[in-house]
Amino acid sequence: MTNRAIPIFKTGEATVFASQDQGTDAMPEVVLGAVNGPVGTAFATLMGQTEGHTRLFAIRACNQQVKPATLMVPKVTMKSGKYISLFFGVVQSAVADAVLDSVIEGIIPKEWVNDICLIVNVWLDPSCAAQDNPDKKDLYRTNYEATKLAIKRALNDEPSIEELIANRHKIHHEMYDPVTGKSKWE
């Protein structure tokens, strides 16, 4: 039994890069909280579908919806069958396993599983789906590791404000350096 109160609204994010710059990077953003609070309301509201941005439950297999209830929301418009297949297969499996393992390992207290829900914004690089033979094992690995880390960070309020202040002028966004004005693609 945990003494921790059920959170109302927690957020976390993580990035895990591909083994060989192959488009299998994972960058989930997680919001979690009580089903009878703002996260639960957002969860229910997001259940509607929009073209190209199909939301789905994280399931481990047919008839095995993960707990706590987890809704996956794609960050990129799904335009191809291959993209949809990777998202509904490899990525969904990784996210579901990360959530369940977070419960097994005590990151999410087992007592909370019916009282909280998670929304996971999921990045799947379109270049991964454009490949003839994307590395599905690495795609699973990066999404599993990043989702689990994002959940841990959310529940531990990481990074702390002290860490953010200390790193304000030491760390910049990986895709844009405000000092040089250059982006990753230049």
Side-chain angles (χ1 to χ4, degrees), residues 27-159:
M27 302 171 187
E29 298 151 349
V30 172
V31 62
L32 62 89
V35 296
N36 62 350
V39 178
T41 299
F43 187 101
T45 302
L46 283 168
M47 288 299 299
Q49 300 299 313
T50 60
E51 185 176 353
H53 286 268
T54 300
R55 291 100 176 210
L56 61 148
F57 284 133
I59 63 168
R60 297 207 57 256
C62 291
N63 301 311
Q64 291 289 299
Q65 177 187 331
V66 75
K67 288 188 178 200
T70 301
L71 188 67
M72 297 172 53
V73 179
K75 293 183 186 182
V76 173
T77 304
M78 295 188 205
K79 294 182 179 178
S80 72
K82 193 167 181 182
Y83 189 101
I84 293 166
S85 178
L86 288 171
F87 195 89
F88 277 66
V90 178
V91 176
Q92 183 182 38
S93 177
V95 169
D97 287 350
V99 171
L100 182 57
D101 285 350
S102 292
V103 174
I104 291 168
E105 295 173 23
I107 297 165
I108 298 172
K110 192 189 299 186
E111 296 79 23
W112 290 0
V113 299
N114 293 313
D115 297 319
I116 69 167
C117 57
L118 288 79
I119 301 168
V120 183
N121 291 333
V122 180
W123 164 256
L124 173 55
D125 189 333
S127 72
C128 182
Q131 297 172 25
D132 289 332
N133 191 19
D135 187 338
K136 292 177 183 175
K137 284 188 175 190
D138 200 56
L139 183 61
Y140 176 93
R141 176 192 68 81
T142 58
N143 279 278
Y144 173 86
E145 291 176 9
T147 301
K148 199 165 152 192
L149 182 56
I151 292 167
K152 178 183 171 285
R153 286 179 174 165
L155 289 170
N156 291 328
D157 297 321
E158 297 173 353

